[in-house]
Each structure stands twice: as C-alpha cells, then as structure tokens.
Amino acid sequence: MHLLFVSDIHMNLKIYKGVDESYAMIWLNKLIDKIKPDVLLSAGDWDKDVTPKDFSIISSKVKLITIYGNHENFNIIKDYSIKDGKVIKLNNISISGINGLLEEKVSFSWKNIKEENIIESYLKKIIRDIKKYTNNLDIFISHQPPFLPEVYPGMIEDIYNKAMLNFIKELRPKLYLNGHMKPCYSFYEFPYGTKYLRVDSSQSCKHFAIINTENSEVVVYYDDKYKFREILSFKF
C-alpha cells in the first residue's frame, strides 16, 4: 500500500501573508489524483473553512485516516477523525493517534489534581488501549508535538510537550507522524529507533510524504508547481 501523509492543510477563504489559502483543497485533490494513494493520513489543522463536501470528495477517492488539530471547523472534523487511541489495521500496518493538543484534555472541574497528573493518567490509558491490540505499533499520529529542542531550537519545555515525549518513549511506534510546528518539515530519529516526521502541507509549504508499506520507505516531497522535488527519504 501507499499512504499519503499531509498536515496543516489550513483551508481558509482568505489571503494570508500573500498566500491564497482558499486553494488548499483544490491542491490536495489534485495531489490525490496524481499520486493515487490507498490511504490519506493527516495530522490535523484542516482549518475553519473546510466543508462536509470537501471531506465527501476526498472520501470518494481514498480512505481517510485523520486526527484533528487546534485550528479546525470542529462541528465537522470530529465526525471524520479517529478516536484517541483507536488502532486501525490495514493489511500489515497498524495505525493510531491522539487528537488536538494535550492542554484540551484537561478538565478544570477536577479540582485539587495537578494538571500534569491528569495528562499523564490520560496518556497511560491511551497506551493501555493501544496495547490491547498491538505491542508493535507501526504508525502513530499526533498534532501535539513532543519536546524536541534538537529539532525546534528555543522550544519551551512545558508539561504538554514533555508528556508527549514520555508517551512516545513508552509507546515506541516505528513511525511517528506530527503536525503543528514550523518550518515546512522536520525529521528526527529517537535513540530507541522511532522515526519522527512532521510536514506542513499548507499553501506556503506544500510538503507531503508518501509511505510505502511494502518496503517501509518514506519519501518527503515539496510540490514545486506540481513538479515533485524529493527532500528526504528513510525507512522505518
């Protein structure tokens, strides 16, 4: 199978910093038509102007597996996103993820409980849920970034990205796909072997990845006016 990975499409009916973001879904559909993937993976941030029709068109072409980010039309995206910790099996590949940012998982009605303890408890439940189905998860997707100052210089170490870093260390998926951050892509290999990849597929970046599940190869591309320039390749 071939999986197409995108993130931070940011569908907005406006011009942002000189970039026409209203073209986002047209671009994505042309990308799908050209690549013809078996599955479309997304790490969220479809943004506020995405419509049910947009998702209907995509779903008619390709199987969609997405989480949501923090910039969304939440009335729509929650009908299409997977549940936190749900394991999806596609042939020989297992996929799971967590929606949104971890800050959103905290209910402040829980008085006298430290926020970091609430988050830790939530993530431990997700790990238990995943491990009910597999001890060797192939692909994990999140919008929340982990604490990686090696990749993101100046990144603040808060309880959320630190918790995600510890979560990934315990879960140890083969491939960890992420969104939310800048610049246009990031790659990192954790000491325990997990490969980390983040892409920005907005109209200002147009980066995406193709994942070949037969040989476990990932190739990152930049769409330079529909001339795909290979940026990076690795195996997981």
Side-chain angles (χ1 to χ4, degrees), residues 148-162:
L148 286 177
E150 307 95 320
V151 178
Y152 307 112
M155 187 181 200
I156 297 172
E157 184 178 7
D158 61 26
I159 61 175
Y160 312 112
N161 54 42
K162 186 178 178 181

Side-chain angles (χ1 to χ4, degrees), residues 75-94:
N75 290 330
I76 295 172
I77 189 61
K78 289 188 176 181
D79 291 333
Y80 292 91
S81 57
I82 65 173
K83 292 183 179 179
D84 288 0
K86 179 179 179 179
V87 176
I88 298 172
K89 294 196 173 182
L90 301 171
N91 294 346
N92 59 330
I93 292 291
S94 56

Side-chain angles (χ1 to χ4, degrees), residues 35-97:
I35 295 172
K36 294 181 171 55
D38 300 292
V39 180
L40 175 65
L41 302 179
S42 172
D45 270 10
W46 294 89
D47 225 314
K48 66 183 183 66
D49 288 322
V50 72
T51 67
K53 183 178 179 181
D54 289 327
F55 283 121
S56 177
I57 292 171
I58 288 172
S59 297
S60 70
K61 298 179 179 183
V62 65
K63 180 177 178 62
L64 173 63
I65 299 176
T66 186
I67 58 169
Y68 60 78
N70 58 312
H71 293 103
E72 304 286 4
N73 183 337
F74 287 102
N75 290 330
I76 295 172
I77 189 61
K78 289 188 176 181
D79 291 333
Y80 292 91
S81 57
I82 65 173
K83 292 183 179 179
D84 288 0
K86 179 179 179 179
V87 176
I88 298 172
K89 294 196 173 182
L90 301 171
N91 294 346
N92 59 330
I93 292 291
S94 56
I95 303 170
S96 188

Side-chain angles (χ1 to χ4, degrees), residues 3 5 41-43 67 139-144 173 175-179 195-198 209 211 218 234:
L3 317 181
F5 170 53
L41 302 179
S42 172
I67 58 169
I139 299 174
F140 182 80
I141 312 171
S142 80
H143 197 70
Q144 171 70 50
L175 177 62
Y176 173 23
L177 303 177
N178 188 218
K195 305 290 178 64
Y196 169 86
L197 176 65
R198 181 196 54 78
I211 303 166
V218 181
F234 63 91

